[in-house]
Amino acid sequence: MGELPRDFTPDLRRLKVWPTMESSPWRQPYLADLTYGEMYRLANAFVPGRKVRILEVGCGQGFLTLELARKGHEVLGIDLDEEVVKTARRVMKSDPYKSKRATLEYEVADFSSWNTAGRSYDLVIFNRVLHHIPRPNSVLDKVKHLLTFRGRIICIEYAYDRFERRSATWFYHIRRVLEQAGWFASNKRLSDNIQVSVNRIMKDWHKHGRKERLNRFKEMHEPLRKLFRERHFSWEPYIFWDIFMGMRIPSVETEMGFARSLKAMEKALIEKAAISPILFCFVGDALSGKNI
């Protein structure tokens, strides 16, 4: 993404064009809504009631915590990156809706070693964060003991190891069309040889996951099902995010229409089991917790 603009505001209610953020969906309001906006809508659909106490682990720049606080929930966001927390606090302070907002706080902390004494929450959220955290089993066990008696976990997570040949082939065709139109920024174009290009896409995708030591689907899903009562599980479109990163369509109207169609296409392919999805949403209720 590079260096962020000093006044960058990751706020779903204050979307604007950020021309220098070329490789980020935040660069255009409609792209931000299709990506970060969808993450908010997905999580918000499973918030268990009104005015609940929420913890977001790995809150990043705070777009989700901010919006949940505006809905009347008491929210704490923690992240181990001090810089992103600074951004979250700055955006929080400049929020034009802060007079009607519930409590919103941020802490710089590593959840694995975070002191939970005296704390309890009705809802804990992981939004594309758990795949980065070592030993997800112990982390989720910690969440289990943080939840109130009727508490809930929402886990929206990226499973890189689910990316397979059918997904890579679809990705190839979309990116190839964009490249041929001059609408995709890349240091190395894909070749006309589908097999060679698909193999390269798969290799790069899985190489990145292994290099970053990302957790695999099984390493996250098994402890989730063991420690929480599953209320909801779904696969969601996410591969299109990667295409958005390099997409450069000069016409706003054309890019907006293409982006929406691309997301809808991936969703349809998932529903027909034509590709293997890589983003899952798990919602689980506490099996036991703090009865307060």
Side-chain angles (χ1 to χ4, degrees), residues 24-249:
S24 169
W26 287 112
R27 72 179 183 269
Q28 285 285 2
Y30 50 86
L31 296 179
D33 181 68
L34 286 170
T35 52
Y36 296 102
E38 190 60 28
M39 292 299 99
Y40 161 68
R41 290 186 287 271
L42 185 58
N44 185 56
F46 297 102
V47 176
R50 299 179 178 180
K51 298 183 179 180
V52 302
R53 287 170 294 175
I54 300 175
L55 168 68
E56 186 186 3
V57 179
C59 63
Q61 294 162 335
F63 79 94
L64 181 56
T65 47
L66 179 63
E67 206 58 44
L68 290 171
R70 286 167 172 168
K71 296 287 288 187
H73 308 298
E74 297 180 6
V75 187
L76 171 63
I78 68 170
D79 200 293
L80 54 77
D81 187 329
E82 186 175 355
E83 289 305 311
V84 298
V85 171
K86 283 182 180 179
T87 299
R89 286 173 174 161
R90 173 175 56 79
V91 174
M92 174 188 70
K93 291 176 182 177
S94 66
D95 178 19
Y97 307 96
K98 59 185 174 183
S99 63
K100 300 179 181 179
R101 192 184 65 209
T103 302
L104 176 59
E105 297 178 337
Y106 293 103
E107 289 185 22
V108 178
D110 182 344
F111 182 72
S112 298
S113 57
W114 188 51
N115 185 359
T116 61
R119 300 178 186 264
S120 63
Y121 297 92
D122 304 305
L123 173 63
V124 175
I125 299 176
F126 290 86
N127 180 18
R128 297 166 301 127
V129 170
L130 186 62
H131 64 279
H132 283 293
I133 302 177
R135 300 180 298 279
N137 187 73
S138 62
V139 167
L140 292 172
D141 187 68
K142 188 172 184 177
V143 171
K144 174 184 174 182
H145 292 91
L146 263 180
L147 291 177
T148 56
F149 182 69
R150 295 183 179 179
R152 176 173 292 180
I153 182 172
I154 298 175
C155 194
I156 302 170
E157 279 306 330
Y158 165 60
Y160 84 91
D161 59 305
R162 294 265 308 175
F163 188 77
E164 40 73 87
R165 182 163 295 275
R166 293 177 302 166
S167 304
T169 302
W170 178 69
F171 181 91
Y172 165 80
H173 286 296
I174 298 299
R175 177 172 157 177
R176 188 68 176 142
V177 167
L178 289 169
E179 285 184 348
Q180 290 176 327
W183 292 349
F184 195 89
S186 174
N187 293 329
K188 187 176 181 182
R189 292 168 62 92
L190 298 174
S191 74
D192 292 328
N193 189 314
I194 295 179
Q195 183 175 351
V196 170
S197 292
V198 168
N199 287 341
R200 173 189 149 196
I201 290 168
M202 291 181 62
K203 180 180 178 181
D204 290 346
W205 204 291
H206 287 269
K207 181 180 179 181
H208 172 76
R210 291 191 297 269
K211 180 181 179 182
E212 298 297 322
R213 298 182 179 180
L214 304 182
N215 294 317
R216 297 172 179 266
F217 172 64
K218 185 177 180 180
E219 294 169 325
M220 296 179 285
H221 188 230
E222 285 192 351
L224 282 167
R225 294 192 64 187
K226 175 184 176 183
L227 295 167
F228 307 96
R229 182 183 298 108
E230 184 178 306
R231 172 172 289 270
H232 167 88
F233 183 89
S234 62
W235 289 105
E236 306 293 335
Y238 193 60
I239 297 172
F240 74 94
W241 282 55
D242 212 67
I243 297 172
F244 282 6
M245 298 299 181
M247 189 169 66
R248 303 287 187 272
I249 301 179

Side-chain angles (χ1 to χ4, degrees), residues 271-288:
E271 291 173 351
K272 294 295 184 180
I275 63 174
S276 182
I278 60 172
L279 187 81
F280 69 89
C281 176
F282 176 95
V283 180
D285 293 335
L287 293 173
S288 62

